[in-house]
């Protein structure tokens, strides 16, 4: 009787411990996944502060800024420390098709003798030309690109124009980072003429002469998150459109996940887009909880 009672009690205690371990693990994992999602959201929103600063610099220079003046502004900021993961900040100008040649002449006289407009696909509409981008060394391939010649880039620019807010594009391949296909983004903020009204969509259309922008690559955004050394893995999807789900990042160690826990799936509205953030625990995550074995 004593032996039977003891075995029964041990079984009950083991079952209780197993349930307790599962509940605690789930609680700690959900909290860790939420912190990771919040960290990513805050990082992306920090870049919005950067494009606001670039917009302020352009407005201070007037509608005809100078390349040297914009470079001086960029060099006055510690971009690597203030905005870790950002490729830089720049200015995109709206150029009517009939003014394209005169714009190129002026741009060449503004310190870039080889400046030319480059389209990604042919079109006959207004140009949205990357006029300035700093630091230029790692972004030279983007100078002169007409973002209106790509549907995804153009859609983001138009969305920003009409909303008046910093707006993130869907995943794209940046021209200055062709080795990172569909892992880049443009963050765009419209620049309105300060003396013009911009209360309605039509007024914003008429008063916007360009955009402050930042090119971003998700690998560089996450570089100091140290995911490779952490107990979690991360997968990211753009789910803004109900008709499509674009995966644009997966931790290289995603396969080494703990099978005992389901993934956490969190959704964040982010600068005009909706991202789905999947987080998986690795075996290391459970081991570091130092749970009592049933």
């Amino acid at each position: 009787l004593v032996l039977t009672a003891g075995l029964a009690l041990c079984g009950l205690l083991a079952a209780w411990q197993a349930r307790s371990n599962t509940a605690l693990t789930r609680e700690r994992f959900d909290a860790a996944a939420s912190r990771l999602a919040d960290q990513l959201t805050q990082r992306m929103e920090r870049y919005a502060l950067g494009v606001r600063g670039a917009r302020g610099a352009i407005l201070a220079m007037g509608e005809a800024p100078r390349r040297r003046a914009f470079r001086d502004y960029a060099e006055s900021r510690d971009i690597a420390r203030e905005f870790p993961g950002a490729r830089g900040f720049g200015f995109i100008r709206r150029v009517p098709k009939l003014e394209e040649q005169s714009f190129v002449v002026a741009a060449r006289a503004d310190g870039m003798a080889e400046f030319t407009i480059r389209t990604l696909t042919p079109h006959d509409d207004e140009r949205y030309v990357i006029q300035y981008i700093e630091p230029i060394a790692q972004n030279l391939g983007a100078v002169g690109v007409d973002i209106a010649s790509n549907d995804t880039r153009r859609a983001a620019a138009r969305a920003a124009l009409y909303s008046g807010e910093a707006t993130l594009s869907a995943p794209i391949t940046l021209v200055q980072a062709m080795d990172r296909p569909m892992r880049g983004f443009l963050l765009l903020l419209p620049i309105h003429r300060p003396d013009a009204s911009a209360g309605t969509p039509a007024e914003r259309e008429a008063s916007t002469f360009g955009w402050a922008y930042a090119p971003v690559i998700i690998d560089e955004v996450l570089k100091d998150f140290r995911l490779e050394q952490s107990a979690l893995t991360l997968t990211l999807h753009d789910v803004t459109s109900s008709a499509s789900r674009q995966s644009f990042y997966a931790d290289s160690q995603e396969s080494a996940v703990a099978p005992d826990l389901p993934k956490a799936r969190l959704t964040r509205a982010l600068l005009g887009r909706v991202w789905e953030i999947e987080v998986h625990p690795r075996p290391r995550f459970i081991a570091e909880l130092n749970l009592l074995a049933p």
Side-chain angles (χ1 to χ4, degrees), residues 10 25 35 44 65 85 92 123 137 183 185 198 217 224 251 269:
C10 285
T25 302
R35 285 194 301 271
M44 298 302 298
I92 296 170
H123 74 108
R183 295 168 86 94
F185 305 86
I217 298 174
D224 64 346
D251 188 339

Side-chain angles (χ1 to χ4, degrees), residues 97-176:
K97 186 70 168 61
L98 295 178
E99 298 176 14
E100 183 175 340
Q101 291 303 317
S102 60
F103 169 74
V104 170
V105 170
R108 289 176 177 175
D110 187 26
M112 183 164 280
E114 302 300 322
F115 187 94
T116 187
I117 295 177
R118 294 180 291 122
T119 57
L120 302 176
T121 56
H123 74 108
D124 294 322
D125 297 325
E126 182 181 41
R127 312 304 195 191
Y128 301 164
V129 183
I130 298 175
Q131 187 171 0
Y132 305 138
I133 176 66
E134 295 292 340
I136 197 168
Q138 61 185 5
N139 293 292
L140 185 59
V143 176
V145 169
D146 168 24
I147 71 164
S149 63
N150 171 261
D151 289 343
T152 301
R153 292 166 168 83
R154 177 182 171 82
R158 301 297 297 175
L161 186 154
Y162 286 124
S163 71
E165 302 293 336
T167 301
L168 198 65
S169 73
I172 59 173
T173 302
L174 295 178
V175 295
Q176 63 267 53

Side-chain angles (χ1 to χ4, degrees), residues 42-290:
Q42 290 163 9
R43 172 63 57 84
M44 298 302 298
E45 289 175 344
R46 183 183 296 186
Y47 301 149
L49 297 177
V51 293
R52 290 189 183 100
R55 178 175 68 178
I58 292 293
L59 287 172
M61 298 174 206
E63 197 171 337
R66 306 294 293 178
R67 183 175 302 279
R68 179 69 257 181
F70 188 78
R71 182 169 298 167
D72 289 343
Y73 162 75
E75 290 176 350
S76 74
R77 308 294 299 260
D78 187 346
I79 293 176
R81 182 184 61 82
E82 294 181 71
F83 309 101
R87 271 265 161 156
F89 296 95
F91 170 58
I92 296 170
R93 181 182 292 279
R94 297 179 71 179
V95 180
K97 186 70 168 61
L98 295 178
E99 298 176 14
E100 183 175 340
Q101 291 303 317
S102 60
F103 169 74
V104 170
V105 170
R108 289 176 177 175
D110 187 26
M112 183 164 280
E114 302 300 322
F115 187 94
T116 187
I117 295 177
R118 294 180 291 122
T119 57
L120 302 176
T121 56
H123 74 108
D124 294 322
D125 297 325
E126 182 181 41
R127 312 304 195 191
Y128 301 164
V129 183
I130 298 175
Q131 187 171 0
Y132 305 138
I133 176 66
E134 295 292 340
I136 197 168
Q138 61 185 5
N139 293 292
L140 185 59
V143 176
V145 169
D146 168 24
I147 71 164
S149 63
N150 171 261
D151 289 343
T152 301
R153 292 166 168 83
R154 177 182 171 82
R158 301 297 297 175
L161 186 154
Y162 286 124
S163 71
E165 302 293 336
T167 301
L168 198 65
S169 73
I172 59 173
T173 302
L174 295 178
V175 295
Q176 63 267 53
M178 299 298 287
D179 59 330
R180 303 288 179 85
M182 304 305 290
R183 295 168 86 94
F185 305 86
L186 297 184
L187 178 60
L188 301 118
L189 181 67
I191 306 177
H192 306 292
R193 296 179 181 87
D195 58 346
S197 177
T200 68
E203 289 172 339
R204 286 193 285 272
E205 172 78 46
S207 67
T208 298
F209 65 88
W211 294 263
Y213 94 105
V216 178
I217 298 174
I218 192 63
D219 305 74
E220 296 172 2
V221 172
L222 298 171
K223 186 176 180 180
D224 64 346
F225 281 37
R226 295 185 174 87
L227 290 170
E228 294 292 342
Q229 291 77 41
S230 78
L232 304 172
T233 71
L234 180 66
T235 305
L236 300 173
H237 313 274
D238 186 298
V239 294
T240 307
S241 170
S242 58
S244 65
R245 170 189 174 94
Q246 292 179 272
S247 298
F248 60 88
Y249 180 83
D251 188 339
S252 62
Q253 298 296 316
E254 186 182 358
S255 58
V257 299
D260 299 332
L261 277 177
K263 62 189 174 188
R265 181 175 291 171
L266 305 99
T267 301
R268 293 287 190 272
L270 188 61
L271 301 169
R273 308 297 299 176
V274 180
W275 282 9
E276 186 178 271
I277 303 167
E278 288 186 13
V279 184
H280 297 255
R282 294 178 178 165
R284 173 181 169 184
F285 178 84
I286 298 175
E288 289 178 350
L289 293 178
N290 294 316

